[in-house]
Structures are given as C-alpha cells and as structure tokens.
C-alpha cells in the first residue's frame, strides 16, 4: 500500500489512464467524423464493388486482434513503402509510438461507428431529405441540418460504442504500438503487464477504472435507446 | 402562357424498367393540372423529374422557356408537397415553416412575420412550438402546405397530398386546396390515383398508364370522350361496362343480340368489324324509349342512399348499372341505352372510334 502512494507509483497508475484517454479521444474523433461521412455516402450510394468495400471496412470486427496487428505492422512497418514515407516526412517511424495506438484503435473501432451511422442514415425517409432539397438546402445543408439531427440517436450510440472500443483495444495495440510504460502503455496493456508481474493491487485499480468508465458509457447508450 | 414544358421525357432506371416513356406536356400559367393514374404509372416519378430530385434519362424540361435539366432542386423555384408529409421530425412547426426562408438568408424579423402570417392563415398559431409527432394528420397536412406556400413560389408540385387523410378530412382539404389555388394565383401540378379528386379539382386532367400519357383534356372531355379503353375503364365509378361486339353492315352484334345502327352514326363504324363497346352504369334506363335494349338478369344490388348499384349479367358477361331506388328489382329486367351514350373502341388498338364526327 505504501508503494501505491509514492510519487512514482502515482505516475505509474495515472500514466496509462491518460494515455488511454488521449489515444481513445483522438482515435474516436477521426472514427466519428470519417465513419459518419462514409456511413452516409455508402448508405445511399449504389455502385459496382460496394459490397467488397463494405466487407473490407467491417473485417477488423471479426478478425483476431493479432491479425489486425500483423497487417498494421506490414502496412506501416519500417520496411513498407507507407512506413518509409512516414519516416521520411516525420523523421521517425510510427511503429511503437502512441500514434500507432491511435491507428490501431481507429481500425478496430471504425466498423462500429460505420454500422451505426449507416443504419441511422438509411432509416431516414428519403422524402424528408428531398423536401429539404426542394426547400432550397444544398447537399451539405441537408446533411448538416436534416440527416445528422434525425440520425442523431444512432450517431451518438455509435460514437460511444466506438470510444469504448478504442478504450478497450488490446491485441493490435500491443503488437503495433507495444507496451512501453509512459510511452505506449494503455490501461488494457498495463493490466496485462501488472498481472504478469503479480502486481495485483495496481491491476485491480485499473480494472475498476475501466469498469466504471465502460459501465457509464454503455449505460448512457442504453438510456438513449429507450 | 406556357410555364412548364416537357419534351420527349424519358426515365429509365435500368435496361428493363422504363418509368416514363416519351412524355410531352405543356402546363399553362396558373392552371390546376391533375395527373391521375394507377399506382406505378409513373406519375410521382414525373413530379420528381420536374422538381429535379431525379435526373431525366432523355428529353428536355423548360421552365418559362428556359431549359432547366441541369438545375439542382434548390434552384428550380418549385415547392413540393409530399405524399407522407415529409415534415422535418426534429424541428418544431415554426422551424419547419421557417426552414426554406432561412436557406434564402431572409432577416430573422421577416421570417418571424411570414411564419406567423402563414400560421394564422392555416390555423396553426397554437401549434408553432410543437413537433410534428404531436400533431394530428390534418394539422400535419396544413404544416406541409404552409411550408410549400411560405416561399411564394410560382409553381407547386403535389404528390398525393391527401392520401393519408380520412374521408371527411380529405373532402375538407380538397376544398381548401382548390381555394388556395385561386388565392395564390400559382400553377398547381397535382398527382393522385383518386379519380374523384382528379375530376373535382382539375382544370385540366392528364391520365397516365405505364409511363405514358393516355389522354389530356378537361375533366368533362376525359369522362365523356375517353380516348381509349384504359381511360374509359379507369375514369368513372362504378366503372364503364365493356362488351365485345361485331359490326356487320348496319348492325351491331353482341353475342346473340343485334341492334341496328342509326343512319347518322354509320360512317367510320362500318369499316370496323371487331369492336368493344362501352356503356357507363348511369346510361342504362328503365324506360325502353331508346334504340338499344338489354335483357339482363339481376344478381344483387347495393343500396347507396340516393340510388342502387345493380350488379347483373348480360349475355354471360357482368354488367353494373345505377338505378333509382324505386326501380323494380326483378330477376330479369330490360334496360335501354341511347346510341349517343355508347362508346366504341377498336379491339386491336383499343383506341376510341369517334362516331360524333359522322353526324
């Protein structure tokens, strides 16, 4: 217990929480924005190859996290073209940085947001959007003032689920961003390491933290859906 | 003055589905044009093409002589009333009415004034702060109409606006829309599958079927001189009776019965050997003063308040007629029809054979 309250252990405890929140918030912002736009576009569009694109977007949801991690390493690793381009532009590789955590969280959370947004937009009566067009609204205004507010329930649920998924991301993050304390260690990877090194107290604290955050978010989604 | 003109309009969804086939139509300024036809005849699609909500596959749309094919709906200066209201569910009645004004960047004060004046015109003052789901069907309908007229467009498109209302409210709204047309002095293009609405509201009527225009004319013209079998069967309730007949020299032969054609009606008829004749239910009479007599067997009758609808059989074919309440409904009766009330259609082309021209 004494150990728990020393300065360094306070930092040990809070560091993964802050990092988890930072990665989840940033990844969620991208997931929500891109998922909403893609959900709206693919929800209404019909073109050849649409099913293939949709399947690819949904794939991370069913793949083992190790497979997602593997693919991310192949695509963004130091030997790939993308990885080398990033290294050339930013003067540092992306793998084993917290940015890698953001990318891993984005990839696994995107399908959740995309599915919610798409079904939200698809359930809007097309005549309502058409009425707004006839009433003088541009496509952008229809999207902003009509489609998004009407689909707001689905968008909010999708956003919260995506954030929760980002927060809980473990496998792909471990492989692609690593588990470096104070640098890339998030709550799930920290719990894994704490148990591995028999630091049960710390594991408990993190477990409780993530339980409370996740419970509150899912509870909010349930309330919203009523 | 012609306000809207449609030239060779074609709408195809894929290679096999042709929704609109070569439609040509001119709509005059300030008229109340009603397009009527069964579901799936392409009438609603035509409205969407005019509003710019869907692109035409081929053909041209002119608005005040300007080609508007390329204009998006925002720039077409038309207002549209949708079949299922299509109110913005997340906005209050006030914001629903104000939506289009806000898009045109009109000052807030003026928006407020115009919304309030439309609300008082349509008796909606008490509902301005309610959301659409808190309103009754009739109130929703009035908001939809208010949303359309608030912009003061010169052209209104109405897609079956009364189909969601109950019978009594529909009658009331029918009168209100006709009144509105007179007050606004705008052009109305109104789509319906309900022939009563079509006949009572239209200054001019367009009958459509399977993506093509079947007939354009005044309600009286369409009812009294249907241009083909489809129009004859579609307009009129109960529908027109049809019988296959043969013309032999001066005689019309229906099954085993034959009637002589009066001299004044010969002419075109003699060339046509196989025809279909049509007689409206109200044109059968109990007094046998007319030249064509039908011996019919009565199957059943329906009391309609002011008259009876009588279902009978003639020559093994069903026949519907409207008879006065005091008519004797025996098993077998005789009915007569005036030659002027018999419609002739070519059996092959199904087009009307005009006998009036031969008088």
């Amino acid at each position: 217990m004494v150990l728990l309250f020393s300065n360094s252990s306070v930092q040990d405890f809070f560091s993964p929480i802050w990092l988890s929140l930072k990665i989840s918030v940033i990844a969620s912002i991208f997931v929500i924005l891109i998922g909403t736009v893609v959900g709206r576009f693919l929800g209404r569009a019909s073109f050849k190859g649409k099913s293939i694109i949709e399947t690819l977007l949904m794939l991370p949801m069913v793949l083992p996290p190790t497979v997602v991690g593997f693919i991310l390493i192949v695509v963004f690793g130091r030997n790939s073209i993308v990885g080398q381009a990033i290294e050339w532009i930013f003067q540092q590789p992306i793998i084993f940085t917290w940015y890698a955590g953001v990318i891993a969280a984005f990839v696994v959370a995107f399908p959740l947001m995309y599915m919610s947004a798409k079904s939200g937009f698809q359930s809007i009566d097309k005549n309502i959007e058409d009425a707004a067009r006839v009433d003088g609204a541009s496509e952008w205004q229809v999207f902003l003032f009509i489609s998004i507010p009407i689909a707001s329930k689905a968008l909010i649920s999708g956003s919260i689920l995506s954030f929760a998924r980002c927060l809980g991301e473990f496998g792909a993050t471990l492989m692609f961003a690593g588990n470096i304390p104070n640098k890339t260690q998030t709550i799930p990877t920290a719990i894994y390491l704490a148990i591995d090194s028999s630091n049960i107290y710390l594991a408990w604290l993190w477990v409780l933290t993530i339980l409370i955050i996740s419970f509150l978010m899912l509870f909010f989604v349930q309330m919203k859906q009523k | 003055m012609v306000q809207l003109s449609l030239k060779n309009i074609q709408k195809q969804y894929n290679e096999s589905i042709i929704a609109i086939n070569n439609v040509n139509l001119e709509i005059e300024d300030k008229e109340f044009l009603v397009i009527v036809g069964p579901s799936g005849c392409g009438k609603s699609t035509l409205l969407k093409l005019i509003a710019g909500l869907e692109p035409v596959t081929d053909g041209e749309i002119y608005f005040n002589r300007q080609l508007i094919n390329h204009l998006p709906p925002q720039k077409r200066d038309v207002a549209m009333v949708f079949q299922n209201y299509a109110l913005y569910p997340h906005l209050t009645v006030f914001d629903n009415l104000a939506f289009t004004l806000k898009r045109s960047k009109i000052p807030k004060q003026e928006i407020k004034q115009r919304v309030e004046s439309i609300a008082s015109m349509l008796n909606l003052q008490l509902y301005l702060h309610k959301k659409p789901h808190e309103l009754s069907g009739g109130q929703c309908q009035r908001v939809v109409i208010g949303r359309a007229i608030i912009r003061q467009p010169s052209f209104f498109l109405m897609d079956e606006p009364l189909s969601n209302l109950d019978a009594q409210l529909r009658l009331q709204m029918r009168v209100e829309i006709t009144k509105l047309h007179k007050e606004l002095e705008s052009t109305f293009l109104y789509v319906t599958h309900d022939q009563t609405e079509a006949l009572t509201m239209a200054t001019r009527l367009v009958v459509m079927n399977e993506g093509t225009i079947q007939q354009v004319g005044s309600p009286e013209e369409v009812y009294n001189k249907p241009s083909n079998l489809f129009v004859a069967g579609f307009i009129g309730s109960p529908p027109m009776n049809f019988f296959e007949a043969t013309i032999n020299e001066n005689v019309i032969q229906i099954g085993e019965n034959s009637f002589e054609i009066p001299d004044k009606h010969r002419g075109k008829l003699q060339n046509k050997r196989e025809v279909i004749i049509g007689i409206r239910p109200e044109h059968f009479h109990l007094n046998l003063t007319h030249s064509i007599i039908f011996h019919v067997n009565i199957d059943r009758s329906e009391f309609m308040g002011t008259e009876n609808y009588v279902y009978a059989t003639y020559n093994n074919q069903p026949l519907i007629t409207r008879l006065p309440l005091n008519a004797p409904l025996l098993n077998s009766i005789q009915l007569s029809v005036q030659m002027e009330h018999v419609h002739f259609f070519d059996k092959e082309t199904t087009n009307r054979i005009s006998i009036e021209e031969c008088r």
Side-chain angles (χ1 to χ4, degrees):
Chain A
M1 283 306 274
V2 177
L3 191 78
L4 260 181
F5 290 100
S6 73
N7 261 347
S8 71
S9 61
V10 167
Q11 201 204 342
D12 284 348
F13 170 67
F14 279 111
S15 158
I17 295 178
W18 290 131
L19 197 63
S20 265
L21 289 174
K22 183 164 88 175
I23 288 174
S24 303
V25 167
I26 293 171
S28 299
I29 290 172
F30 284 106
V31 164
I32 292 164
L33 290 179
I34 299 172
T36 303
V37 172
V38 175
R40 153 76 179 226
F41 174 72
L42 286 183
R44 286 272 193 253
S46 68
F47 55 89
K48 259 190 184 168
K50 183 186 165 189
S51 306
I52 293 179
I53 292 180
E54 284 198 281
T55 312
L56 283 175
L57 291 177
M58 302 293 289
L59 214 50
M61 214 161 71
V62 291
L63 287 176
T66 45
V67 173
V68 177
F70 178 84
I71 292 171
L72 286 175
I73 290 170
V74 169
V75 174
F76 293 99
R78 300 188 72 168
N79 294 328
S80 75
I81 299 171
V82 180
Q84 282 169 1
I86 291 171
E87 202 166 332
W88 184 72
I89 296 168
F90 297 102
Q91 298 296 310
Q92 66 165 47
I94 197 162
I95 189 163
F96 299 131
T97 63
W98 69 273
Y99 301 108
V102 172
I103 292 176
F106 176 88
V107 170
V108 295
F110 184 83
L112 288 172
M113 186 64 207
Y114 168 70
M115 267 209 314
S116 299
K118 188 182 136 189
S119 70
F121 288 128
Q122 276 180 335
S123 65
I124 300 175
D125 175 1
K126 195 171 178 296
N127 281 339
I128 295 175
E129 291 171 330
D130 277 349
R133 290 187 183 101
V134 176
D135 271 352
S138 65
E139 282 309 307
W140 177 242
Q141 288 172 328
V142 173
F143 182 52
L144 215 58
F145 299 137
I146 303 297
S147 314
I148 287 185
I150 296 178
S152 62
K153 260 190 183 179
L155 294 176
I156 291 172
S157 306
S159 304
I160 292 171
L161 287 176
S162 304
F163 183 78
R165 184 69 189 80
C166 287
L167 203 61
E169 169 46 27
F170 173 73
T173 309
L174 189 67
M175 287 177 70
F176 185 41
N179 190 2
I180 311 165
N182 296 325
K183 201 173 162 218
T184 65
Q185 192 178 59
T186 58
I187 304 177
T189 52
I191 293 171
Y192 174 72
L193 199 71
I195 298 210
D196 212 33
S197 54
S198 303
N199 202 342
I200 296 299
Y201 291 120
L202 211 50
W204 259 115
L205 284 176
W206 283 323
V207 165
L208 285 175
T209 311
I210 210 153
L211 264 177
I212 291 168
I213 299 176
S214 302
F215 179 86
L216 287 177
M217 284 190 302
L218 278 184
F219 185 71
F220 185 73
V221 172
Q222 293 289 333
M223 294 299 286
K224 263 277 164 194
Q225 279 171 347
K226 269 184 187 165
Chain B
M1 196 182 86
V2 175
Q3 190 177 18
L4 182 84
S5 110
L6 306 175
K7 296 223 161 94
N8 307 317
I9 297 294
Q10 189 92 11
K11 178 67 186 176
Q12 208 159 340
Y13 283 105
N14 52 40
E15 277 173 24
S16 57
I17 304 170
I18 300 174
I20 303 283
N21 193 3
N22 197 29
V23 162
N24 285 286
L25 187 64
E26 296 204 322
I27 300 163
E28 303 276 332
D29 194 20
K30 293 176 190 170
E31 79 172 321
F32 198 124
L33 188 85
V34 176
I35 303 181
V36 65
S39 335
C41 74
K43 53 192 192 302
S44 294
T45 308
L46 198 59
L47 280 200
K48 284 188 178 157
L49 298 181
I50 296 171
L53 295 169
E54 283 186 25
V56 292
T57 310
D58 204 4
E60 289 129 36
I61 304 175
Y62 293 91
F63 195 77
N64 291 332
R65 293 194 192 137
Q66 271 190 315
L67 188 67
I68 57 161
N69 279 30
H70 57 285
L71 285 186
Q74 299 84 4
K75 299 203 170 138
R76 291 201 179 186
D77 190 34
V78 297
M80 187 156 170
V81 171
F82 290 82
Q83 183 175 3
N84 50 359
Y85 311 138
L87 287 171
Y88 310 128
H90 58 298
L91 300 180
T92 60
V93 170
F94 183 97
D95 289 328
N96 264 279
L97 294 172
F99 186 84
T100 180
L101 300 180
K102 283 181 183 166
R103 302 287 81 75
S104 346
K105 300 204 170 99
I106 289 170
K108 265 191 178 171
Q109 196 52 38
E110 192 189 332
I111 292 180
K112 194 164 175 274
Q113 269 173 8
R114 276 167 73 172
V115 169
E116 277 166 2
S117 96
I118 289 285
S120 74
M121 178 179 160
L122 295 168
N123 272 331
L124 288 167
Q125 302 100 315
L126 295 177
Y127 309 103
L128 281 176
H129 298 292
K130 293 204 169 178
K131 294 256 178 91
H133 67 90
E134 296 170 286
L135 305 179
S136 70
Q139 288 160 351
C140 282
Q141 194 61 55
R142 285 209 290 275
V143 180
V144 174
I145 289 173
R147 189 175 66 175
I149 63 179
I150 198 163
R151 203 153 44 106
Q152 301 161 344
S154 52
F155 205 95
F156 284 91
L157 301 169
M158 300 199 165
D159 188 7
E160 310 222 16
L162 308 184
S163 59
N164 283 349
L165 304 178
D166 61 49
Q168 206 179 351
L169 207 53
R170 207 176 319 165
L171 192 77
Q172 194 187 325
M173 289 304 293
R174 217 161 74 193
V175 177
E176 280 186 37
I177 290 178
T178 318
K179 220 168 80 185
L180 203 66
H181 171 245
K182 287 206 178 101
E183 281 171 17
L184 296 175
E185 296 193 327
S186 313
T187 315
F188 278 45
L189 179 54
Y190 187 105
V191 158
T192 180
H193 67 272
D194 183 320
Q195 49 165 307
T196 319
E197 269 173 40
L199 291 171
T200 52
M201 297 171 91
T203 52
R204 214 151 57 101
L205 199 59
V206 175
V207 185
M208 275 187 80
N209 188 35
E210 292 178 347
T212 55
I213 291 183
Q214 304 290 316
Q215 186 170 5
V216 183
S218 69
E220 295 81 7
E221 255 177 280
V222 172
Y223 190 82
N224 295 328
K225 291 178 189 171
S227 65
N228 58 35
L229 265 185
F230 172 80
V231 178
F234 187 74
I235 300 288
S237 173
M240 190 185 272
N241 297 288
F242 295 114
F243 308 97
E244 289 197 2
T246 319
I247 310 266
N248 277 324
E249 296 297 321
N250 302 335
V251 174
I252 310 171
Q253 184 88 31
I254 307 174
E256 289 165 7
N257 305 309
S258 55
F259 317 100
E260 197 167 321
I261 305 171
D263 285 346
K264 60 177 182 180
H265 292 313
R266 287 172 202 163
K268 284 195 175 179
L269 280 181
Q270 285 176 334
N271 312 326
K272 306 279 178 182
R273 302 187 64 82
E274 298 274 320
V275 295
I276 288 172
I277 67 167
I279 301 165
R280 292 222 179 266
E282 63 270 29
H283 289 145
F284 291 96
H285 299 285
L286 284 166
N287 57 358
L288 304 177
T289 47
H290 304 305
S291 53
I292 301 177
I293 310 277
F294 287 80
H295 297 264
V296 305
N297 293 317
I298 294 179
D299 298 327
R300 66 192 173 90
S301 72
E302 284 173 354
F303 173 69
M304 297 303 290
T306 54
E307 60 185 355
N308 284 321
Y309 285 1
V310 178
Y311 296 82
T313 322
Y314 169 72
N315 200 25
N316 289 327
Q317 291 181 68
L319 179 153
I320 307 170
T321 171
R322 293 157 68 168
L323 295 179
L325 293 177
N326 58 3
L329 297 176
L330 308 168
N331 278 344
S332 166
I333 58 169
Q334 291 191 331
L335 299 167
S336 78
V337 178
Q338 216 177 330
M339 190 64 194
E340 275 75 12
H341 289 145
V342 181
H343 303 262
F344 291 88
F345 302 96
D346 189 309
K347 198 178 165 187
E348 253 175 54
T349 65
T350 76
N351 286 337
R352 177 182 188 80
I353 305 166
S354 170
I355 54 167
E356 290 86 351
E357 293 165 25
C358 314
R359 274 179 203 166

